């Protein structure tokens, strides 16, 4: 098992700058073989944790994107009914039991993310993204899978995990999750990074950027997030904005007011937020951090 500092260092090497609390949660996840629930606003980097964890371990990332109406067949498996019907037609006149055994075989099984994660011989990272968007019935079904890491396919029997996947669940907090799910998981609340960590994230992803500019952008993003915005920009928006400013040859955030305002399309994604962040407002904020 990797210790907290080793995990933090290896995450940084693959471009994810984690604080000590997150590194500890990931270390405990491995130690206890428990899923980790990451909760926080959209844009704080929850999904990126799973991607970085997969890169750290050289593992396959298997992602289940949750949504309203998600059911077992979307998440676990289903049969390729069209191919089954063609096979039945091609075997007309053959023994019925033999035909049934043939069409309900591995050849016609469509593997979905949960079954894929269970059946991998090399331990994957399973990302169950935005679990709060799925309904409570699916959440209850998921508990069974996460408890035993096995599933019964009536036609094929019980499939047990050969290696327990590392499981990351994310939630944006759009609905309250059940106590049963929370008890099953380790928990970490992820927030927007502080200025120092966001500057380090920028430097990790954009190694050619000037250190002073990275720090100015991080400070400016901190102030922008404190404005009355309908959609608070996340870390991905920070990185897009930093890349745009570097690409345009901007050396300081207060160097060119027009360019700074024009590139806010990287950061602000609604008409109302663009209107609130006028050239005068962004110039005022930039002057405070330069």
């Amino acid at each position: 098992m990797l210790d907290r500092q080793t995990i933090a260092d290896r995450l940084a090497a693959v471009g994810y700058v984690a604080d000590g609390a997150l590194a500890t949660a990931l270390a405990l996840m491995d130690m206890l073989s428990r899923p980790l629930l990451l909760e926080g606003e959209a844009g704080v980097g929850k999904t990126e944790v799973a991607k970085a964890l997969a890169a750290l371990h050289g593992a396959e990332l298997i992602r289940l994107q949750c949504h309203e109406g998600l059911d077992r067949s979307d998440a676990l498996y289903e049969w390729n009914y069209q191919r089954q019907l063609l096979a039945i037609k091609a075997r007309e006149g053959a023994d019925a039991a033999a035909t049934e055994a043939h069409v309900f075989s591995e050849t016609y099984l469509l593997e979905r993310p949960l079954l894929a994660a269970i059946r991998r011989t090399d331990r994957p990272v399973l990302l169950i993204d935005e679990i709060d968007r799925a309904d409570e019935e699916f959440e209850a079904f998921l508990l069974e899978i996460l408890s035993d890491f096995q599933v019964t396919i009536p036609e094929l029997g019980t499939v047990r995990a050969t290696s327990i996947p590392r499981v990351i669940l994310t939630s944006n907090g759009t609905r309250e999750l059940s106590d049963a799910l929370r008890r099953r998981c380790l928990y970490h609340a992820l927030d927007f990074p502080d200025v120092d960590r966001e500057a380090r994230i920028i430097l990790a992803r954009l190694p050619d950027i000037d250190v002073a500019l990275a720090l100015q952008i991080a400070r400016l993003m901190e102030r922008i997030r404190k404005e009355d915005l309908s959609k608070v920009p996340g870390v991905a928006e920070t990185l897009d904005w930093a890349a745009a400013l570097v690409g345009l040859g901007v050396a300081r955030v207060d160097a060119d007011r027009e360019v700074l305002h024009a590139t806010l399309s990287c950061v602000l994604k609604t008409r109302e937020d663009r209107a609130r962040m006028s050239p005068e407002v962004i110039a005022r904020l930039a002057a405070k951090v330069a």
Side-chain angles (χ1 to χ4, degrees):
M1 188 202 76
L2 301 178
D3 61 46
R4 181 178 84 168
Q5 189 56 52
T6 301
I7 287 177
D9 292 343
R10 292 193 180 181
L11 286 173
V14 297
Y16 191 95
V17 180
D19 60 18
L22 175 58
T24 299
L26 292 172
L28 291 174
M29 182 182 74
D30 260 3
M31 177 190 298
L32 304 174
S33 294
R34 297 280 295 277
L36 174 62
L37 171 62
L38 297 175
E39 198 165 40
E41 293 185 46
V44 297
K46 302 183 296 297
T47 300
E48 291 299 317
V49 173
K51 293 179 180 179
L53 189 64
L56 184 158
H57 292 287
E60 179 184 4
L61 176 65
I62 299 174
R63 180 175 182 172
L64 174 62
Q65 180 62 53
C66 297
H67 55 80
E68 187 177 352
L70 179 67
D71 60 19
R72 292 171 62 104
S73 62
D74 296 323
L76 195 56
Y77 74 91
E78 62 180 329
W79 294 102
N80 191 330
Y81 297 117
Q82 290 183 331
R83 288 193 63 199
Q84 285 177 320
L85 290 172
L86 290 172
I88 292 170
K89 187 173 181 62
R91 295 169 66 95
E92 283 181 355
D95 178 72
T99 298
E100 181 179 358
H102 174 72
V103 298
F104 285 106
S105 64
E106 286 274 355
T107 304
Y108 301 93
L109 185 68
L110 297 176
E111 198 178 63
R112 300 307 186 204
L114 294 182
L115 181 60
I118 288 174
R119 300 213 302 176
R120 293 296 188 266
T121 54
D122 294 328
R123 190 180 187 186
V125 173
L126 172 61
L127 169 61
I128 302 173
D129 214 6
E130 299 184 314
I131 181 60
D132 52 319
R133 294 188 181 276
D135 56 34
E136 294 177 2
E137 289 76 14
F138 180 79
E139 192 179 312
F141 157 71
L142 186 62
L143 282 174
E144 298 178 20
I145 302 294
L146 295 181
S147 295
D148 302 322
F149 287 102
Q150 67 178 40
V151 60
T152 298
I153 302 174
E155 299 83 359
L156 297 178
T158 300
V159 179
R160 294 180 176 85
T162 54
S163 61
I164 303 300
R166 295 178 173 90
V167 183
I168 298 285
L169 300 95
T170 73
S171 170
N172 294 335
T174 59
R175 72 168 175 86
E176 184 58 39
L177 302 177
S178 70
D179 289 342
L181 180 66
R182 290 184 181 276
R183 286 196 302 269
R184 182 68 185 83
C185 302
L186 302 176
Y187 177 82
H188 181 72
L190 207 59
D191 204 350
F192 291 109
D194 59 25
V195 169
D196 179 65
R197 190 156 70 91
E198 190 151 29
R200 288 166 57 206
I201 291 169
I202 296 170
L203 290 166
R205 295 297 183 90
L206 301 170
D208 294 332
I209 193 172
D210 182 74
V211 174
L213 178 60
L215 189 57
Q216 287 178 357
I217 293 170
R219 288 171 176 163
L220 185 52
M221 285 298 295
E222 181 187 47
R223 291 182 177 273
I224 288 174
R225 290 185 183 123
K226 291 178 180 178
E227 295 294 309
D228 185 22
L229 302 175
S230 59
K231 298 290 184 184
V232 179
V235 177
E237 283 73 30
T238 301
L239 294 172
D240 285 345
W241 199 22
L245 293 176
V246 170
L248 293 170
V250 175
R252 296 174 53 87
V253 295
D254 61 341
D256 192 323
R257 172 171 151 178
E258 290 186 7
V259 169
L260 192 66
H261 185 259
T263 54
L264 282 177
S265 57
C266 298
V267 177
L268 305 177
K269 305 300 176 70
T270 70
R271 179 182 302 217
E272 294 77 14
D273 288 345
R274 286 301 305 269
R276 288 189 187 98
M277 200 61 60
S278 65
E280 292 74 24
V281 171
I282 191 64
R284 171 174 54 80
L285 295 180
K288 292 180 178 180
V289 304

